Amino acid sequence: MEYDTNYHQVCSTRTVQSDKKGFFNEFYVDVKDACGDKWLQNYFGKLKSNAARILSIFSDREVCDPVLGVLEHVQPVYKQKDVLMSSQRRAQADKFYLMSCSSELPDERKELLQQALGHANLAVMRAPAPQQDMAIDNGLSLAMAYRTRATILIAMGEGEAALSDLKLATNFGLETKESVDYYCKMAKAYAREYSLLVAHQLLLLLVIGESARAEISLKIAEKLAGADSALIAACRKEVAAVQHDKREPPKQAVVPDLTHGENPALSGAANVVKLVDTKEKGRFVVANECIKTGDVVLCENPVAACLLPSFFGTNCHHCFKRLRTPVACLHCSGIAFCSAQCMGEACNSYHSFECQFMDLFIGSGMSILCFIALRIFTQAASLDDGLTTANLLFENLCSHQDERKPDDHLQRALMAGFLMRVLQKAQYFGRRKTEGVNPTAVELQVATALLGLLQVLQYNAHEIYHTMVTDEHCFEGCRVIYLGAGLYGTGSYFNHECCPSVAGYYVGKKLVLAATKPHRPNETVAVNYGPIFTKMNLKERQRSLRGRYAFSCNCITCQENWPLLQKIDKQVRFWCTSANCVNLLRFPKDLAKDVRCPRCRKNISLKESVVRLIKVEEQYREAAEAMQAQKTNEAIDLFKEAIDSFFQIAALPHKDTLIAQQSLLKCLADTGSTFKKQTF
């Protein structure tokens, strides 16, 4: 297969900069023009190590001036808080909430509450940290935004979310501020307001199923309200509405157990697989024992994973969960979290360094792989830990360092320098004595490690995706949504085949691989890197794999040049039933007659195999009916049994079995992270 160098260069470039409109591309072109082709090819292109390449861009006179000239202007660029906008959005949320209270039409009320929630979410996102801006809301805009949203959530029947928001409102000072500075001055109003607080607690208890405690809270509210019967009447009316509108809890993703437990020598992998090393293929995963269809061979958290910027407003920045009630970073408005826990974990780690540069990253046009390279350092417990992790990844994973062109080395070295400069400005290395760019010895080590990561990530990162389902059906109309990317230490050892033997799905950021066919001991356990034979012909697959991953595939699918799924005929290849014979026989023209096996030279009857195939295809139909009825677990069990039976008697390609494998993946993914499309 001819190597398309231009296509390979395009693919490689996009793993550094995915958006050509970003300023990094202009930076790279300017540096390349300044240094000249002669220096690039004859000097820089002949450097033998990443450390030498990094040192070169900061010290060689041919390039250092344009490099330092741009990097010295790196400054924080991020979406800042806006207390006035937060206050205005909160007012809009209150308006739509009050309109919903007066509406007697269920659909209209639901729509008004949805609009109120959208405005409340924006109020939360744009509100500054407590006491940061005293001119509006006495420095309590964030707490008041959470309280407003809690009121709306109660009306929507979302008690758990409302309870979380009320706790956040208290944590951010609302209760303390009002009780000391306001209610002490207005004792009468204090009693009324406190009774409303108890009434809110009552509504929450009802929503989350605590009826007995709710009744006690109602009696307390009645005593505190005194003669204010209108207040209690309004409370009882709201209670009735909450009980009527109680929201069905979302389906929870299930983290599966590894088949036969975890392999102590291979983190995140099951005991049914092992790692082998050969001269021809390097290190890759094979079956350690017999594997059945559906066996979970990997369940692994990423070394590092990052969300695509286009999902910053819809998914949790930390766990990737779909957002409904975002929790804001206290310093920026550009990213959101699903909970206070995720916010705390991120802001106490990587986000403390990345926060003020998020819009700069987006404006640069850098790829998701660059985000991951940076994250490996920003999430590390210490700089030394970050260096250790980065260096181990570079030593153990494929980087194709020696096969890269000078242009590629220069582009990645400049990106590593840019990321290192951001770390300087974020005080990752501590407070520096000068604002200049010139790196210290430790900073050069980090830049070198970042360059190695950018090389490794090109060939080892995994796309992370969740399944978007419709309100009507969990399979019909569902589609996979690519949310981000991650680097998986053990997951990176799985080799590619154009007809994979395992399929992947995600639970949050956790990668799960499950077998879609049975495996014999020492058989390769293969994933698919994207080019799959059911959708791409041999020539297209080989071009894609050479361009994106720098290898040519020699799997059985490529050797036999299997047709596309839509072109596979009804012919079946049966295994010879003679003991120890591994020959494949075509479907007999006359079932009444035996078939002569050319390998073992025995006359073979395929009647039993045909009967078993008929049963397998009937099980496929039953599994499809279970999917139609949204009985996911039942469908999984039927597919697993039927696929195992098929491989006992026949071999791929077989159209119905390939469709069954695809359907099994859909079912497995339905047990993972799914979400419904929402509009705010």
Side-chain angles (χ1 to χ4, degrees), residues 120-396:
N121 284 340
L122 289 170
V124 167
M125 292 302 300
R126 299 313 299 269
Q131 314 302 319
Q132 290 296 307
D133 193 327
M134 304 299 291
I136 297 178
D137 302 323
N138 291 323
L140 291 174
S141 296
L142 182 58
M144 294 177 73
Y146 279 120
R147 187 182 68 172
T148 292
R149 193 169 71 182
T151 303
I152 296 164
L153 289 167
I154 289 168
M156 299 177 81
E158 298 186 39
E160 295 284 0
L163 187 59
S164 295
D165 274 6
L166 285 176
K167 288 179 179 178
L168 286 168
T170 301
N171 291 341
F172 292 131
L174 184 64
E175 184 178 37
T176 302
K177 182 74 176 177
E178 291 189 352
S179 63
V180 174
D181 294 345
Y182 182 72
Y183 288 117
C184 286
K185 297 177 182 178
M186 300 181 68
K188 190 174 182 180
Y190 172 77
R192 173 182 170 84
E193 237 2 81
Y194 189 75
S195 65
L196 279 172
L197 209 63
V198 176
H200 273 173
Q201 182 185 15
L202 160 68
L203 296 175
L204 286 168
L205 292 169
L206 284 167
V207 169
I208 62 179
E210 296 281 358
S211 300
R213 292 177 63 189
E215 185 60 33
I216 295 172
S217 296
L218 179 58
K219 290 179 179 178
I220 295 172
E222 288 174 338
K223 290 181 180 180
L224 288 170
D228 194 350
S229 58
L231 176 64
I232 296 301
C235 181
R236 290 190 180 279
K237 181 179 179 181
E238 193 170 357
V239 167
V242 167
Q243 289 177 312
H244 180 265
D245 294 340
K246 191 170 180 180
R247 190 180 181 91
E248 181 181 346
K251 184 182 70 173
Q252 297 297 314
V254 178
V255 178
D257 294 327
L258 290 169
T259 300
H260 298 173
E262 185 175 12
N263 186 332
L266 202 56
S267 177
N271 267 315
V272 294
V273 297
K274 63 182 179 181
L275 193 66
V276 297
D277 193 350
T278 68
K279 185 177 181 180
E280 297 77 20
K281 296 183 178 181
R283 283 176 288 189
F284 60 102
V285 177
V286 300
N288 194 33
E289 57 187 78
C290 289
I291 296 175
K292 293 182 179 180
T293 302
D295 282 355
V296 177
V297 300
L298 184 77
C299 191
E300 185 184 17
N301 285 314
V303 176
C306 292
L307 191 69
L308 284 168
S310 56
F311 291 94
F312 281 1
T314 58
N315 290 74
C316 177
H317 197 68
H318 189 61
C319 74
F320 293 12
K321 181 180 178 181
R322 189 74 169 181
L323 295 173
R324 179 162 176 80
T325 52
V327 174
C329 166
L330 294 179
H331 304 289
C332 74
S333 299
I335 56 100
F337 303 96
C338 67
S339 65
Q341 179 179 343
C342 278
M343 186 265 285
E345 290 176 2
C347 291
N348 290 329
S349 176
Y350 59 86
H351 192 60
S352 62
F353 300 110
E354 299 173 10
C355 177
Q356 296 188 9
F357 298 91
M358 295 308 296
D359 283 1
L360 181 71
F361 296 148
I362 296 170
S364 74
M366 72 186 204
S367 74
I368 190 67
L369 303 187
C370 302
F371 281 90
I372 298 173
L374 183 70
R375 182 67 55 83
I376 287 173
F377 279 95
T378 57
Q379 72 180 11
S382 68
L383 188 155
D384 286 342
D385 285 349
L387 278 171
T388 299
T389 299
N391 291 333
L392 282 172
L393 290 168
F394 183 72
E395 290 169 9
N396 288 288

